[in-house]
Amino acid sequence: MSSGYEIKSRNVPKLHQLTSKTVLAAAGCKTDVDTLTNLLRTRMQMYEHDCNKEMSTTAVAQMLSNTLYGRRFFPYYSFNVLAGLDEEGKGAVFSYDAIGSYERTPFSASGSGQSYLIPLMDNLVTFKTRLDPVPDMTVEEIVSIVKDAFVTAGERDIYTGDAVEIKVISATGVTTELFPLKKD
């Protein structure tokens, strides 16, 4: 967490696990992010009590959109990316604007390093700028690409931070890895 060139804390997580298959990445004002995640968790708990099941990733995506839209005249200062597994067990990534408009994308980025990450992911994940076929990648290869992308962003953007928290979502649950970016 930083303000200008001042680092307030080096250990502020930006990834919030909402369900066993859904994770919210949120950048922006810490108090707004905390308020938003607490509200989402409360609504998901109410859903779980009413329906006796965990909310699906696509349902969480719609609920987040509705929640953000409900505050459109005084929006949360929170830039959100929601990721998880859909009903078919496939990966789902949803990118949001401040007032709840969202789309499902192959990948997304938010925050100060976004301008460094998106072009790299266009090239390495979706092959938008390449003519060779898109290969099937393993989880390890994808995690390696994410690490390389954040090393690149961290070298060019002072606000990216000292480490990246990587969460891998699978049918068996969510695993977390903390990858250091800078040692200086």
Side-chain angles (χ1 to χ4, degrees), residues 5-62:
Y5 292 111
E6 182 179 346
I7 298 171
K8 308 263 187 215
S9 175
R10 294 186 183 276
N11 300 313
V12 178
K14 296 191 179 189
L15 299 180
H16 309 275
Q17 186 170 344
L18 299 177
T19 72
S20 64
K21 295 181 179 144
T22 308
V23 174
L24 175 67
C29 177
K30 174 87 168 87
T31 54
D32 281 359
V33 169
D34 288 346
T35 301
L36 178 61
T37 55
N38 288 336
L39 178 61
L40 293 174
R41 284 190 175 110
T42 301
R43 289 183 178 171
M44 286 187 307
Q45 191 174 35
M46 291 168 53
Y47 177 89
E48 211 168 312
H49 287 298
D50 290 343
C51 300
N52 292 322
K53 66 179 184 177
E54 187 175 72
M55 192 176 270
S56 69
T57 298
T58 52
V60 175
Q62 184 63 56

Side-chain angles (χ1 to χ4, degrees), residues 7 21 23 27 32 59 91 96 103 122 152 164:
I7 298 171
K21 295 181 179 144
V23 174
D32 281 359
Y96 293 82
E103 67 176 328
D122 279 341
T152 300
V164 60

Side-chain angles (χ1 to χ4, degrees), residues 2-143:
S2 63
S3 175
Y5 292 111
E6 182 179 346
I7 298 171
K8 308 263 187 215
S9 175
R10 294 186 183 276
N11 300 313
V12 178
K14 296 191 179 189
L15 299 180
H16 309 275
Q17 186 170 344
L18 299 177
T19 72
S20 64
K21 295 181 179 144
T22 308
V23 174
L24 175 67
C29 177
K30 174 87 168 87
T31 54
D32 281 359
V33 169
D34 288 346
T35 301
L36 178 61
T37 55
N38 288 336
L39 178 61
L40 293 174
R41 284 190 175 110
T42 301
R43 289 183 178 171
M44 286 187 307
Q45 191 174 35
M46 291 168 53
Y47 177 89
E48 211 168 312
H49 287 298
D50 290 343
C51 300
N52 292 322
K53 66 179 184 177
E54 187 175 72
M55 192 176 270
S56 69
T57 298
T58 52
V60 175
Q62 184 63 56
M63 181 183 64
L64 175 57
S65 174
N66 294 346
T67 303
L68 293 171
Y69 186 75
R71 289 280 307 258
R72 66 191 174 279
F73 298 115
F74 189 62
Y76 292 107
Y77 189 73
S78 173
F79 307 99
N80 305 290
V81 176
L82 187 77
L85 297 179
D86 64 12
E87 290 80 4
E88 299 171 5
K90 295 181 180 176
V93 177
F94 300 93
S95 182
Y96 293 82
D97 71 3
I99 58 168
S101 178
Y102 73 106
E103 67 176 328
R104 186 170 177 168
T105 61
F107 62 87
S108 187
S110 183
S112 62
Q114 175 181 0
S115 60
Y116 300 107
L117 295 172
I118 295 292
L120 192 58
M121 293 294 117
D122 279 341
N123 185 25
L124 297 175
V125 176
T126 58
F127 280 50
K128 282 187 178 178
T129 56
R130 298 167 66 166
L131 299 176
D132 46 329
V134 180
D136 287 331
M137 292 186 261
T138 65
V139 171
E140 293 78 19
E141 289 173 324
I142 293 169
V143 168

